[in-house]
Amino acid sequence: MTVTRGFTGRSRADDRDPRLPPGQYDAGESWPVLSAEVTPDLTSADWTFRVDGLVAEERTWSWEEAHALPRSGYQGDIHCVTSWSKFGVRFGGVSLDTFLDLARPLRTATHAVAYAHTGYTTNLPLSDLTGGRAWIAWEFGGEPLEPGHGGPARLVVPHLYFWKSVKWIAGLRILDHDEPGFWEQNGYHARGNPWNEERYAGD
Ligand SMILES: Nc1nc2c(c(=O)[nH]1)N[C@H]1C(S)=C(S)[C@@H](COP(=O)(O)O)O[C@H]1N2
Ligand SMILES: [Mo]
């Protein structure tokens, strides 16, 4: 009788941390800064967050107005398309559901373009921004978010590759179609689900 090799023993795949999506490695304590633009000189007094486009009510929140909303946060892992992942990070801010509930996307709305105060953009289906899966965050590990990492405030959409998590977030434009953002126009995948390795268009 033959025994299929690899079936009885512990395979290499079993040694992988189950938190690591395919093709990723654990960056440990380090947190690389990855920016296409120069870190802007943006203070919390200058910062605003706007939701416009296909909504019942276009809204803009100041720093104080955003901080008056119910607090929410994320604790878990993040995954950059350049292949580092970081486990157990903690972001604090407000759930995007809270902002979208106040602006009320129209029935025809399907997607959003998230844009930064610097001009960086990325596109997301609305379904990836709702249901407690996306945040406007101004705290990291209980401390104010550093400017290099997107402070005063950034978008955090941790279930997608981190290029979707716009630093120095300025707003969401709500659309009835998908419109490629900065990296997506340069060959990156429209959605970017790390568990399906959706790195590039066509993946
Ligand atoms: N405004 C802006 N947001 C951005 C980027 C950027 O270049 N500009 N890079 C994205 C990419 S590719 C990643 S991996 C993360 C990096 O965030 P970090 O620099 O805090 O690690 O921010 C995302 N958000
Ligand atoms: Mo990235």
Side-chain angles (χ1 to χ4, degrees):
M1 182 185 148
T2 55
V3 175
T4 308
R5 231 156 57 108
F7 212 75
T8 49
R10 189 177 157 84
S11 79
R12 196 177 263 178
D14 290 336
D15 295 333
R16 264 180 78 80
D17 191 311
R19 295 172 295 182
L20 266 188
Q24 298 290 112
Y25 72 91
D26 176 8
E29 289 304 302
S30 76
W31 188 12
V33 168
L34 286 167
S35 308
E37 66 275 49
V38 172
T39 297
D41 195 5
L42 183 69
T43 67
S44 54
D46 303 327
W47 181 85
T48 51
F49 178 65
R50 179 171 171 78
V51 178
D52 60 18
L54 297 177
V55 290
E57 200 179 331
E58 296 190 329
R59 299 276 305 250
T60 305
W61 290 267
S62 68
W63 182 254
E64 285 73 25
E65 289 164 341
H67 280 66
L69 297 172
R71 287 190 51 93
S72 174
Y74 169 73
Q75 181 153 13
D77 310 331
I78 57 177
H79 313 287
C80 173
V81 71
T82 61
S83 82
W84 56 265
S85 291
K86 204 168 157 51
F87 298 142
V89 301
R90 196 154 52 87
F91 284 103
V94 170
S95 170
L96 255 198
D97 290 304
T98 303
F99 295 99
L100 290 171
D101 285 349
L102 293 165
R104 289 173 286 131
L106 303 180
R107 230 190 301 272
T108 49
T110 57
H111 289 80
V113 167
Y115 54 95
H117 282 276
T118 54
Y120 179 95
T121 57
T122 194
N123 52 304
L124 299 121
L126 265 188
S127 56
D128 281 319
L129 293 173
T130 50
R133 299 203 290 170
W135 291 264
I136 299 299
W138 44 72
E139 279 177 17
F140 180 80
E143 298 293 327
L145 184 64
E146 289 171 24
H149 287 300
R154 75 182 297 161
L155 180 62
V156 175
V157 191
H159 69 284
L160 299 178
Y161 282 125
F162 220 42
W163 89 76
K164 298 289 184 178
S165 294
V166 175
K167 303 198 279 190
W168 316 295
I169 186 75
L172 293 181
R173 190 161 311 118
I174 309 298
L175 305 170
D176 61 4
H177 61 278
D178 201 6
E179 202 171 284
F182 175 76
W183 284 118
E184 295 83 4
Q185 288 170 31
N186 286 286
Y188 280 68
H189 195 277
R191 179 149 185 261
N193 177 356
W195 297 98
N196 295 340
E197 268 206 283
E198 294 170 349
R199 297 178 193 271
Y200 306 105
D203 282 351

